[in-house]
Amino acid sequence: MSSRFPRTSPSVEIARKLRGELTPEERLLWACLRSKQLGVTFRRQEPMGRYVVDFVCYECGLVIELDGSQHLNSEEDKVRDADMRGHGFKTLRFWNSEVRGNLNGVLERIQRVLEARKNLKP
């Protein structure tokens, strides 16, 4: 659905480092997203332009970000989400506490968005 962003050297190096330092919530969600468990391929800690996103499904143009309290009302996140939209990606954001406390609800919401995005394909 969407094309890849250009990769920059700093973001590639940062992504490699982050893949080895997943948070507990990222590990938990990754265990459910990997190996096409939701019917599509996700990549984790993926460089996209000047950003590194937590998870991305290129097939459906979906970015998933897990946020801690430092992201509350973040202007940087709004700019980042707008940049993703400009490249055809929808961003879903979940609080870490949502992943810990309601993983099934998080997965259901991701699945609904994936289905809707698949239906947008020509």
Side-chain angles (χ1 to χ4, degrees):
M1 174 176 253
S2 302
S3 62
R4 292 182 188 242
F5 278 67
R7 290 182 174 208
T8 60
S9 293
S11 63
V12 170
E13 291 304 314
I14 291 167
R16 284 186 184 132
K17 183 176 187 262
L18 290 173
R19 282 185 205 117
E21 300 173 356
L22 293 177
T23 66
E25 294 82 10
E26 288 169 339
R27 285 185 199 284
L28 185 60
L29 186 56
W30 179 240
C32 299
L33 297 178
R34 66 184 306 187
S35 303
K36 289 190 169 187
Q37 292 181 69
L38 296 182
V40 294
T41 301
F42 277 93
R43 297 178 63 94
R44 66 186 165 107
Q45 300 302 334
E46 177 75 0
M48 295 179 74
R50 65 179 188 250
Y51 305 109
V52 176
V53 300
D54 291 337
F55 306 99
V56 62
C57 172
Y58 285 106
E59 178 184 340
C60 293
L62 179 62
V63 169
I64 300 172
E65 291 289 329
L66 302 186
D67 298 329
S69 60
Q70 74 275 17
H71 289 268
L72 186 62
N73 298 321
S74 168
E75 287 302 316
E76 281 183 35
D77 287 346
K78 291 175 186 173
V79 170
R80 180 181 175 132
D81 293 352
D83 193 15
M84 293 295 147
R85 265 192 315 279
H87 284 86
F89 289 85
K90 176 175 181 59
T91 301
L92 281 181
R93 290 187 173 275
F94 297 99
W95 293 107
N96 288 333
S97 59
E98 286 180 272
V99 174
R100 283 190 310 268
N102 186 18
L103 182 58
N104 286 336
V106 167
L107 293 171
E108 287 172 11
R109 182 160 175 228
I110 293 169
Q111 190 67 57
R112 281 195 310 269
V113 172
L114 287 171
E115 291 301 322
R117 306 249 337 142
K118 283 182 192 176
N119 291 335
L120 292 176
K121 289 173 83 172

